[in-house]
Amino acid sequence: MADFELQSMQPEDWDEVAELIHSSTNDWYQTRGLGPIFPHGPESTRLFCQVYETLDPGCCVLAVDKRTDQIAGSCFYHPRETHVSLGIMNVRPTHFGTGIARRLLKFIIEFADAQKKPVRLVSSAFNLDSFSLYNRAGFIPRMAFQDMLLTVPETGLDITTIGSERVRSATMEDVPAMAALELEINHLSRVKDLRYFVENKEGLWHVSVSEDERGRLDGFLVSVQHPGSNMLGPGIAKTDQQAAALILAELQHHRGRTPVFLVPVERAELVQTLYRWGARNCEIHFAQIRGAYQRPTGVVMPTFMPETG
């Protein structure tokens, strides 16, 4: 590793980082007989640079080859009030096995340790190299999630579910209650993220909230529509029924698309509801945490854009 040095990503690096994310992620899946995760060009994966730099400028670490000045690896990270979230990590296939991923991970762990915060991520159960990298570094798999997808007709889904009448679009006035609910259910705080999603300056996001009979928030769900990410999440709900109502509301904002969403494998009622709607599984992910952890008391629906842990 003496031939590499770590640097912070700069604006002029965005195109090369986007190409690295696009090529290395697709390469891993396609060499294993699976379809590309990013079917559009590298311009679509600039979304990672755009979102993370908007939220936390300077929080992408690069491994740069001193001989060629080529970016050989990259990893985004996201400091939050209660933890540090580790975002998408990529290494060029030509540099696999050189220790770049371990060095990037070490940098972020040391950053989090200096802040006395745990590190959280969601990683593919299919990728044993990735799983082993984090597991060896002290990350413990705490929850498993089913990645599910559902094609929404252009006319929308002809489905009704209990609680839909109490779901509406979020406003900026909802952000404090959303943050308080997430702290209550998932013991995490990321107020800046929630404000960013609801404000939606780029026109990529939509946020639904659900209310109980007294008008108090009992759940929320975000979604993103972009060629580089077509997902529901992050989301929080107190019950499976509330989670289903939120998922249905956000699916209706993805007409003509096939969004992906993650739901906890142990939430049997919710999973069976989604099967009845026509959802199917496409992958399994683990929530892995290094450091302090409290089990959620409700339904947690993470995402990768940005990584929500």
Side-chain angles (χ1 to χ4, degrees), residues 94-161:
T94 53
H95 293 78
F96 285 173
T98 59
I100 288 176
R102 288 195 305 274
R103 189 166 176 184
L104 293 171
L105 181 58
K106 181 175 182 289
F107 174 90
I108 294 168
I109 287 174
E110 290 176 348
F111 173 86
D113 285 350
Q115 297 194 1
K116 295 180 170 53
K117 292 180 179 178
V119 188
R120 303 176 66 102
L121 60 93
V122 178
S123 67
S124 172
F126 292 176
N127 190 336
L128 287 180
D129 291 334
S130 174
F131 176 85
S132 299
L133 170 71
Y134 300 125
N135 202 226
R136 288 175 183 274
F139 288 78
I140 299 173
R142 298 292 191 176
M143 293 186 69
F145 296 92
Q146 294 173 226
D147 298 34
M148 306 185 83
L149 49 80
L150 194 155
T151 299
V152 183
E154 293 284 356
T155 54
L157 292 166
D158 186 17
I159 295 171
T160 58
T161 192

Side-chain angles (χ1 to χ4, degrees), residues 1 4-8 61-64 100 103-104 107:
M1 288 301 297
F4 297 87
E5 65 179 1
L6 299 187
Q7 301 176 6
S8 292
V61 59
L62 309 177
V64 179
I100 288 176
R103 189 166 176 184
L104 293 171
F107 174 90

Side-chain angles (χ1 to χ4, degrees), residues 23-37 91-93 96-97 124-131 283:
S23 62
S24 65
T25 306
N26 283 348
D27 179 83
W28 191 92
Y29 282 90
Q30 290 178 295
T31 55
R32 288 156 179 82
L34 303 170
I37 292 297
V91 176
R92 291 194 183 279
F96 285 173
S124 172
F126 292 176
N127 190 336
L128 287 180
D129 291 334
S130 174
F131 176 85
E283 199 166 348

Side-chain angles (χ1 to χ4, degrees), residues 12-26:
E12 58 268 25
D13 298 321
W14 282 26
D15 286 341
E16 189 174 355
V17 171
E19 183 276 326
L20 169 62
I21 294 170
H22 184 270
S23 62
S24 65
T25 306
N26 283 348

Side-chain angles (χ1 to χ4, degrees), residues 44-81:
S44 68
T45 47
R46 286 183 102 253
L47 178 67
F48 289 89
C49 304
Q50 174 187 337
V51 171
Y52 276 98
E53 284 294 291
T54 298
L55 287 168
D56 292 286
C59 288
C60 176
V61 59
L62 309 177
V64 179
D65 189 325
K66 290 182 180 180
R67 297 164 299 179
T68 64
D69 209 31
Q70 182 186 48
I71 298 172
S74 65
C75 188
F76 293 88
Y77 58 102
H78 190 12
R80 291 172 167 129
E81 297 95 322

Side-chain angles (χ1 to χ4, degrees), residues 181 184-187 237-239 267 294-300:
L181 183 68
E184 174 190 345
I185 291 176
N186 203 21
H187 318 295
K238 290 188 175 181
T239 69
R267 306 304 298 211
Q294 287 181 273
R295 188 165 183 79
T297 59
V299 183
V300 175

